Every structure is written in C-alpha cells, then in structure tokens.
Amino acid sequence: MRGGKQHGGGHCGSAWVCCLVYWCQGEFVPWYGVKAASKRKRDGEEETATAISSVNVEQLTGSIQQEEPAPMVQGRRSSLSGVCYLTMGLLVLLLGLVFASMYVYRYFFITQLPRESVFHCGVLYEDSLYSPFKGQLELHEDVKIYIEENYEQINVPVPQFGGSDPADIIHDFQRGLTAYHDITLDKCYVIELNTTIVMPPRNLWELLVNVKKGTYLPQTYIIQEEMIATEHVSDMEQLGSFIYRLCSGKETYRLKRRSARRRISRREAGNCHRIRHFENTFVVETVICKKS
C-alpha cells in the first residue's frame, strides 16, 4: 500500500505529510511562499498608504499655513471698506441735514414774513430839547417794511404840536443811503445811512410786531442830528430805484453831517427845517439846514 501512493511525480512519505503545491502563473510556488509574498504585498501597500497619507497631511498643513494670512488680509480690507462706507454715510447725512435746514428756513420761516409789512405806529416821548415843560408829546407815522428788498419806507404826517415838517423817508440798506422828502418844501435830501440810529428791516419788523398788541410804543426819549445841504444831485439813477421813485422830478441835494453839535442861532433857525421820526426805540429829530 505504501508503494501505491505515488501521484504524478510527487511523493508522500510514511508520515503521511503531503507537500501542497500551487500553480501560479506557470510556476510552482509553495504555499508558504504565497503567504510570504502576500504579507510583503500587504506591508508594501500599508507603507505606501502611510507614505501617501503623510504626504497628504504635509501638503494639507502647508496649504493651511499658506492660506492662513488670507482671512487676515480679507478682514483688513473689510474693515477699511466699512470705514469708507460709514464716512460716506455720515457725509450724506450731514448734507441732507444742511439742505433740509435750508428748505425749512426758506419755505417755512421766510414765507411767514410778509413781503410787505405795513404798520401804523405812535409813540409818546418827552421833548427835553425844546419843550421840557410840555410833558409828553405824541408822534405818529406809517411804516412799510420790505424785508426781501431790504429797505424801509416811512411816512410822517403833519405833527399835532407843530415845529416839524411832514416827510417821506426811505432807508435803502442795499445802497446804504437814506432819503428825506420834505413835503413842506417838496425837496429831497440824500445822505449815507446811519446804521447806529436806523434798525435793519428785519429787526424793525420784529420790534413793531412785538409792540403791535398796544397802540403806542413804550415811553421813550428824543435825540437830535444836524445836517447841512451841500451839492445838487443831477443823476438820480445812481441813488437806486427806491429813492429814484421818491425823489424823481424834485430838487435833490446831498447832505453832510455836522462834525460837532452846536447851538443853532435864531438866524440859522430860519434856514433849517426839522423832521421828527423813529426807526428805533427812540425818536430822532433830523435838522436840515441850508449851507450858509
């Protein structure tokens, strides 16, 4: 029976241990060789995978390190853009406030001020210059205030007490001139506007509105200014349109203020005319004398 256990050139010993062989790609490879080769193959694949993994980790780490500054730069750009937008927004807001203020002032405040304001006014005052013992005197006048044109027109009727002429007066703040039309003489006199005595149109308008509740202004006093007529005015257009309408066709003279106030003699009094008026909180007596 031992001699009958021969198969295809292979031989099994008495211990009944057979050596298994495999056919592998035309070669006979022992089974233990196959296992060793398989193990080496797996080890190689694991090493390759490990190497690839390490390379991928290194590449990923490098890419992360390279990409780290990008968010910081982007954050800085975003901050600068935010500051620019905020600044532009504030500028637009300020411009809007400026234009809104101009709109409110133009269409709400100015429109409440009438283009032409007419007041009939009266004032009580004491004449300490010529009538200290007569007590209170009364002066009336009609005032027209043109705020947009920036001038005032005053009509002084014939006073009750006498001694003063009726007159039409224009204070032109654009030209800086004052014109007196003495109705008694029918002559015009022009002089530079005295802003220390005459209130601007808006201020005078506010004053008269505040006292409009009563018939008269509070009791006040009188001051005097003396003037001398000098040269004749031939070119009336140079005086402006307001004064031109008042004095056109009338003899018109320039006035000059006296540098020092002095007592007017009786002889000079015959050549002088007085106009009492008020464009402030006090009465002004304008004495106009001929040049001697």
Side-chain angles (χ1 to χ4, degrees):
M1 185 168 176
R2 290 179 181 177
K5 297 293 182 179
Q6 294 179 358
H7 301 279
H11 177 73
C12 294
S14 58
W16 196 259
V17 177
C18 294
C19 295
L20 301 178
V21 294
Y22 291 86
W23 181 262
C24 180
Q25 295 182 354
E27 295 183 356
F28 291 101
V29 182
W31 67 273
Y32 55 84
V34 174
K35 290 183 178 181
S38 301
K39 184 177 181 182
R40 286 195 299 273
K41 185 177 180 181
R42 288 195 302 270
D43 293 342
E45 291 177 354
E46 291 177 357
E47 291 177 358
T48 302
T50 304
I52 292 173
S53 301
S54 61
V55 171
N56 292 335
V57 170
E58 290 178 358
Q59 292 178 354
L60 181 61
T61 305
S63 63
I64 291 175
Q65 291 177 355
Q66 292 178 359
E67 292 178 358
E68 280 181 356
M72 297 178 62
V73 174
Q74 186 176 2
R76 292 177 181 175
R77 291 178 180 175
S78 301
S79 300
L80 292 175
S81 299
V83 172
C84 292
Y85 290 142
L86 180 61
T87 304
M88 292 177 63
L90 290 176
L91 289 176
V92 172
L93 179 62
L94 289 175
L95 289 175
L97 290 175
V98 170
F99 285 114
S101 301
M102 293 174 61
Y103 176 84
V104 171
Y105 176 78
R106 181 175 180 180
Y107 292 98
F108 289 92
F109 181 73
I110 293 182
T111 53
Q112 293 179 0
L113 300 179
R115 182 176 178 273
E116 175 184 343
S117 299
V118 181
F119 299 90
H120 177 72
C121 306
V123 62
L124 297 175
Y125 67 99
E126 293 183 358
D127 186 359
S128 58
L129 297 175
Y130 299 99
S131 305
F133 304 107
K134 288 185 178 181
Q136 293 183 345
L137 299 177
E138 184 177 338
L139 178 63
H140 292 271
E141 67 181 23
D142 295 321
V143 183
K144 293 182 180 180
I145 301 176
Y146 301 83
I147 295 177
E148 293 185 1
E149 290 81 0
N150 203 23
Y151 81 98
E152 305 161 359
Q153 184 174 354
I154 299 170
N155 172 257
V156 182
V158 179
Q160 297 177 356
F161 61 88
S164 178
D165 293 346
D168 291 320
I169 305 170
I170 283 184
H171 300 294
D172 188 349
F173 281 79
Q174 289 185 356
R175 295 275 182 170
L177 295 174
T178 294
Y180 302 94
H181 172 220
D182 191 318
I183 297 176
T184 301
L185 301 176
D186 196 23
K187 293 180 180 180
C188 273
Y189 303 93
V190 181
I191 194 171
E192 294 180 358
L193 179 63
N194 187 356
T195 56
T196 60
I197 293 178
V198 182
M199 297 179 70
R202 186 178 300 275
N203 299 74
L204 182 60
W205 183 87
E206 292 176 354
L207 173 66
L208 298 181
V209 167
N210 290 332
V211 300
K212 196 173 182 180
K213 296 179 181 179
T215 306
Y216 297 97
L217 290 170
Q219 182 176 345
T220 184
Y221 56 94
I222 184 172
I223 64 172
Q224 187 184 69
E225 58 177 359
E226 299 177 8
M227 303 179 184
I228 301 175
T230 57
E231 60 183 1
H232 182 267
V233 178
S234 56
D235 186 6
M236 300 294 296
E237 293 183 355
Q238 65 177 340
L239 303 177
S241 59
F242 307 135
I243 297 178
Y244 178 83
R245 288 197 298 265
L246 176 67
C247 298
S248 178
K250 305 176 180 66
E251 291 185 34
T252 304
Y253 298 90
R254 293 275 185 181
L255 291 177
K256 181 180 179 181
R257 289 185 176 87
R258 291 183 186 266
S259 57
R261 181 182 173 183
R262 60 186 180 85
R263 185 179 180 86
I264 299 176
S265 63
R266 291 184 178 180
R267 181 180 179 181
E268 291 178 329
N271 295 327
C272 298
H273 294 265
R274 294 176 174 83
I275 301 173
R276 292 190 177 186
H277 53 95
F278 62 92
E279 304 88 0
N280 211 312
T281 57
F282 48 84
V283 176
V284 178
E285 182 181 66
T286 301
V287 181
I288 301 175
C289 300
K290 294 181 181 179
K291 187 176 181 181
S292 56

